[in-house]
Amino acid sequence: MAIIRNTLAKKAVFEIIQGNKTAMSQTEIFAKVNNICDRVTVYRILERLVKEVKIHKIVNINGVINYAPCDACSHEQHVHHDHLHFSCTTCKKLTCIADNHIELNIPSNYQVAEVFLTVSGICPDCVIMA
Amino acid sequence: MAIIRNTLAKKAVFEIIQGNKTAMSQTEIFAKVNNICDRVTVYRILERLVKEVKIHKIVNINGVINYAPCDACSHEQHVHHDHLHFSCTTCKKLTCIADNHIELNIPSNYQVAEVFLTVSGICPDCVIMA
DNA sequence: TACAATTATGCAACATTGTTGCGTTAATAA
DNA sequence: TTATTAACGCAACAATGTTGCATAATTGTA
Ligand SMILES: [Zn+2]
Ligand SMILES: [Zn+2]
Ligand SMILES: [Zn+2]
Ligand SMILES: [Zn+2]
């Protein structure tokens, strides 16, 4: 059951996320959606897109939740979102960076599931400006 | 200028944070403060304690901002907060783990400032329960 | 094409979290 | 003790996210 429907609003939201170089917050997405649907609907669409593994959720270093497409996420039918994210302190943009396999050094009584790695600094666009 | 005052509320908040094994959110801290002061005051105290490098701010994987003491943060008069944080998916607690020096693999046109590394999974307390 | 089933939406109402302004309180130095 | 001003309380507001329910729209089927 639970047949997935491809509505106009859902397509619009997904295209907005895909069309952007960097990850976007619900607020930014809703601003771009141009009143094609309600604020609440955007929340619900985002929730669905995450569940369908079309986008992934990234928490920025200030706590704001952002969304980015999952293109780079699924390799060989194995979904993983543990790539690195770069958070620019100047333009505040959050960018997905290719995989970054790291060695962890955690006490063995901790059972590791996912790794969230975000690096802050200045992105290429903003370095040029400076 | 800007003389720092050590008020009752500030002491209470700091002791609550220090007395807890894991990091705490503003909501949790205010709940423990037992109406010794206003909700807003807790926000302002937390802000000050962060500025004074007595506590540090950690964003949990769900976007909730948590606070933990800075004991483990300053080594040889050099402050750094880039240690690893463990976020338990069962009890939702956020724990500071000792330093974790990692090798990053980021395009050279990105200018790195800080590294935020959070690992999710099951903490020792919750592993025992299961 | 028409219809039924049910997913998705709009809207209102609410909850939570965080912020700001301003008059008052209280910590600290002199 | 007094003056200075950091810190506080309170009210009001803003932003973000959630829920319930009636209505609309999509999709498979007849
Ligand atoms: Zn930038
Ligand atoms: Zn990403
Ligand atoms: Zn736990
Ligand atoms: Zn920490």
Side-chain angles (χ1 to χ4, degrees):
Chain A
M1 10 259 88
I3 291 138
I4 292 165
R5 289 184 187 172
N6 222 0
T7 62
L8 279 178
K10 189 178 165 189
K11 273 185 251 176
V13 167
F14 186 53
E15 275 165 24
I16 288 166
I17 296 172
Q18 275 202 315
N20 218 56
K21 270 193 310 179
T22 53
M24 301 172 85
S25 66
Q26 185 276 346
T27 309
E28 292 170 309
I29 294 164
F30 179 62
K32 279 209 168 188
V33 117
N34 227 68
N35 284 322
I36 204 179
C37 70
D38 191 75
R39 201 170 65 86
V40 177
T41 303
V42 173
Y43 280 109
R44 299 202 257 231
I45 287 172
L46 291 171
E47 210 174 291
R48 261 179 288 151
L49 288 172
V50 168
K51 204 183 300 174
E52 293 168 23
V53 199
K54 291 186 141 186
I55 62 174
H56 65 287
K57 209 185 269 204
I58 317 137
V59 176
N60 206 340
I61 57 173
N62 54 5
V64 175
I65 291 171
N66 279 256
Y67 299 89
C70 275
D71 326 309
C73 301
S74 35
H75 294 262
E76 314 139 16
Q77 66 257 69
H78 174 247
V79 180
H80 66 106
H81 295 133
D82 59 347
H83 54 270
L84 184 150
H85 291 113
F86 189 90
S87 177
C88 181
T89 52
T90 302
C91 67
K92 310 297 176 196
K93 282 182 184 155
L94 188 64
T95 314
C96 299
I97 307 273
D99 306 68
N100 222 285
H101 227 46
I102 56 167
E103 298 272 315
L104 295 175
N105 184 23
I106 303 175
S108 59
N109 49 348
Y110 284 88
Q111 209 166 89
V112 174
E114 271 186 282
V115 175
F116 299 85
L117 178 59
T118 302
V119 174
S120 75
I122 305 176
C123 77
D125 290 354
C126 292
V127 166
I128 291 165
M129 298 297 185
Chain B
M1 14 258 86
I3 292 138
I4 292 166
R5 290 184 186 174
N6 221 0
T7 62
L8 279 180
K10 189 179 166 189
K11 274 185 249 174
V13 167
F14 186 53
E15 276 165 23
I16 287 167
I17 296 172
Q18 274 202 315
N20 218 55
K21 270 194 309 178
T22 53
M24 301 172 85
S25 65
Q26 185 275 347
T27 310
E28 291 170 310
I29 294 164
F30 178 63
K32 279 208 167 187
V33 117
N34 228 67
N35 285 320
I36 205 179
C37 71
D38 192 73
R39 200 170 66 86
V40 177
T41 304
V42 173
Y43 279 109
R44 300 201 256 228
I45 289 172
L46 291 172
E47 210 173 292
R48 260 179 290 151
L49 289 172
V50 167
K51 204 182 300 174
E52 294 169 20
V53 200
K54 290 186 143 188
I55 61 174
H56 64 287
K57 209 185 268 205
I58 318 137
V59 176
N60 206 341
I61 55 174
N62 53 7
V64 175
I65 291 172
N66 280 255
Y67 299 89
C70 275
D71 325 308
C73 299
S74 34
H75 295 261
E76 313 138 17
Q77 68 255 70
H78 174 248
V79 179
H80 66 105
H81 296 133
D82 60 347
H83 54 270
L84 184 150
H85 291 113
F86 189 90
S87 177
C88 180
T89 51
T90 303
C91 67
K92 310 296 175 197
K93 281 180 182 155
L94 188 64
T95 315
C96 299
I97 307 273
D99 305 70
N100 222 286
H101 229 46
I102 55 168
E103 297 273 314
L104 294 176
N105 184 25
I106 303 177
S108 60
N109 49 349
Y110 284 88
Q111 207 166 93
V112 174
E114 268 187 282
V115 175
F116 299 86
L117 178 57
T118 303
V119 174
S120 75
I122 306 176
C123 77
D125 290 352
C126 293
V127 166
I128 290 163
M129 297 298 185

